mmCIF file of all heavy atoms in Angstrom:
data_model
loop_
_atom_site.group_PDB
_atom_site.id
_atom_site.type_symbol
_atom_site.label_atom_id
_atom_site.label_comp_id
_atom_site.label_asym_id
_atom_site.label_seq_id
_atom_site.Cartn_x
_atom_site.Cartn_y
_atom_site.Cartn_z
ATOM 1 N N LYS A 7 143.584 100.710 109.168
ATOM 2 C CA LYS A 7 143.200 99.304 109.052
ATOM 3 C C LYS A 7 141.686 99.162 109.148
ATOM 4 O O LYS A 7 141.081 98.371 108.415
ATOM 5 C CB LYS A 7 143.883 98.484 110.113
ATOM 6 C CG LYS A 7 145.364 98.326 109.884
ATOM 7 C CD LYS A 7 146.002 97.433 110.935
ATOM 8 C CE LYS A 7 147.483 97.290 110.677
ATOM 9 N NZ LYS A 7 148.106 96.358 111.628
ATOM 10 N N LEU A 15 135.013 94.704 103.307
ATOM 11 C CA LEU A 15 133.693 94.107 103.593
ATOM 12 C C LEU A 15 132.629 94.642 102.603
ATOM 13 O O LEU A 15 131.744 93.912 102.198
ATOM 14 C CB LEU A 15 133.264 94.405 105.042
ATOM 15 C CG LEU A 15 133.976 93.584 106.080
ATOM 16 C CD1 LEU A 15 133.636 94.137 107.484
ATOM 17 C CD2 LEU A 15 133.587 92.140 105.995
ATOM 18 N N GLN A 21 128.633 89.577 104.815
ATOM 19 C CA GLN A 21 128.564 88.215 105.283
ATOM 20 C C GLN A 21 129.853 87.444 105.031
ATOM 21 O O GLN A 21 129.929 86.239 105.322
ATOM 22 C CB GLN A 21 127.390 87.473 104.592
ATOM 23 C CG GLN A 21 126.040 88.121 104.817
ATOM 24 C CD GLN A 21 125.691 88.197 106.295
ATOM 25 O OE1 GLN A 21 125.987 87.295 107.065
ATOM 26 N NE2 GLN A 21 125.040 89.295 106.668
ATOM 27 N N ARG A 23 133.584 85.877 105.365
ATOM 28 C CA ARG A 23 134.336 85.362 106.519
ATOM 29 C C ARG A 23 135.546 86.242 106.759
ATOM 30 O O ARG A 23 136.055 86.924 105.861
ATOM 31 C CB ARG A 23 134.769 83.925 106.248
ATOM 32 C CG ARG A 23 133.613 82.955 106.112
ATOM 33 C CD ARG A 23 134.076 81.549 105.909
ATOM 34 N NE ARG A 23 135.042 81.503 104.816
ATOM 35 C CZ ARG A 23 135.836 80.437 104.586
ATOM 36 N NH1 ARG A 23 135.809 79.421 105.393
ATOM 37 N NH2 ARG A 23 136.691 80.467 103.599
ATOM 38 N N SER A 24 135.974 86.205 107.994
ATOM 39 C CA SER A 24 137.161 86.998 108.388
ATOM 40 C C SER A 24 138.385 86.575 107.600
ATOM 41 O O SER A 24 139.239 87.414 107.245
ATOM 42 C CB SER A 24 137.413 86.876 109.877
ATOM 43 O OG SER A 24 136.321 87.350 110.597
ATOM 44 N N VAL A 28 140.961 88.966 105.444
ATOM 45 C CA VAL A 28 142.410 88.984 105.708
ATOM 46 C C VAL A 28 143.178 88.662 104.447
ATOM 47 O O VAL A 28 144.203 89.324 104.148
ATOM 48 C CB VAL A 28 142.751 87.979 106.844
ATOM 49 C CG1 VAL A 28 144.259 87.825 107.000
ATOM 50 C CG2 VAL A 28 142.122 88.452 108.179
ATOM 51 N N VAL A 38 146.168 92.400 108.792
ATOM 52 C CA VAL A 38 145.170 92.519 109.869
ATOM 53 C C VAL A 38 144.903 91.122 110.406
ATOM 54 O O VAL A 38 145.155 90.130 109.738
ATOM 55 C CB VAL A 38 143.848 93.165 109.369
ATOM 56 C CG1 VAL A 38 144.077 94.600 108.960
ATOM 57 C CG2 VAL A 38 143.270 92.370 108.248
ATOM 58 N N GLU A 40 142.209 88.234 112.180
ATOM 59 C CA GLU A 40 140.797 87.873 112.027
ATOM 60 C C GLU A 40 139.983 88.443 113.161
ATOM 61 O O GLU A 40 138.822 88.821 112.967
ATOM 62 C CB GLU A 40 140.668 86.342 112.037
ATOM 63 C CG GLU A 40 141.249 85.689 110.814
ATOM 64 C CD GLU A 40 141.090 84.170 110.848
ATOM 65 O OE1 GLU A 40 140.190 83.676 111.549
ATOM 66 O OE2 GLU A 40 141.870 83.509 110.181
ATOM 67 N N GLU A 49 131.093 96.121 115.370
ATOM 68 C CA GLU A 49 130.908 97.533 115.722
ATOM 69 C C GLU A 49 130.190 98.298 114.620
ATOM 70 O O GLU A 49 129.343 99.153 114.885
ATOM 71 C CB GLU A 49 132.274 98.173 116.038
ATOM 72 C CG GLU A 49 132.876 97.738 117.337
ATOM 73 C CD GLU A 49 134.258 98.315 117.569
ATOM 74 O OE1 GLU A 49 134.749 99.088 116.714
ATOM 75 O OE2 GLU A 49 134.845 97.977 118.601
ATOM 76 N N ILE A 64 113.182 109.950 115.397
ATOM 77 C CA ILE A 64 113.021 111.280 114.819
ATOM 78 C C ILE A 64 111.789 111.314 113.921
ATOM 79 O O ILE A 64 110.989 112.256 113.969
ATOM 80 C CB ILE A 64 114.292 111.703 114.039
ATOM 81 C CG1 ILE A 64 115.436 111.930 115.021
ATOM 82 C CG2 ILE A 64 114.022 112.928 113.203
ATOM 83 C CD1 ILE A 64 116.783 112.100 114.354
ATOM 84 N N ALA A 68 108.321 113.541 114.337
ATOM 85 C CA ALA A 68 107.850 114.426 113.259
ATOM 86 C C ALA A 68 106.407 114.085 112.886
ATOM 87 O O ALA A 68 105.605 114.989 112.631
ATOM 88 C CB ALA A 68 108.748 114.273 112.049
ATOM 89 N N GLY A 75 95.087 117.602 115.927
ATOM 90 C CA GLY A 75 94.137 117.078 116.866
ATOM 91 C C GLY A 75 92.733 117.490 116.464
ATOM 92 O O GLY A 75 92.506 118.478 115.801
ATOM 93 N N ARG A 77 89.258 119.132 116.994
ATOM 94 C CA ARG A 77 88.829 120.255 117.823
ATOM 95 C C ARG A 77 87.752 119.760 118.779
ATOM 96 O O ARG A 77 86.776 119.145 118.346
ATOM 97 C CB ARG A 77 88.326 121.355 116.960
ATOM 98 C CG ARG A 77 87.956 122.583 117.712
ATOM 99 C CD ARG A 77 87.591 123.697 116.784
ATOM 100 N NE ARG A 77 87.031 124.782 117.574
ATOM 101 C CZ ARG A 77 86.241 125.687 117.140
ATOM 102 N NH1 ARG A 77 85.860 125.683 115.876
ATOM 103 N NH2 ARG A 77 85.776 126.629 117.915
#
Side-chain angles (χ1 to χ4, degrees):
K7 289 183 180 184
L15 286 171
Q21 301 300 324
R23 295 183 309 165
S24 299
V28 171
V38 294
E40 292 181 24
E49 288 176 2
I64 292 170
R77 185 174 170 204

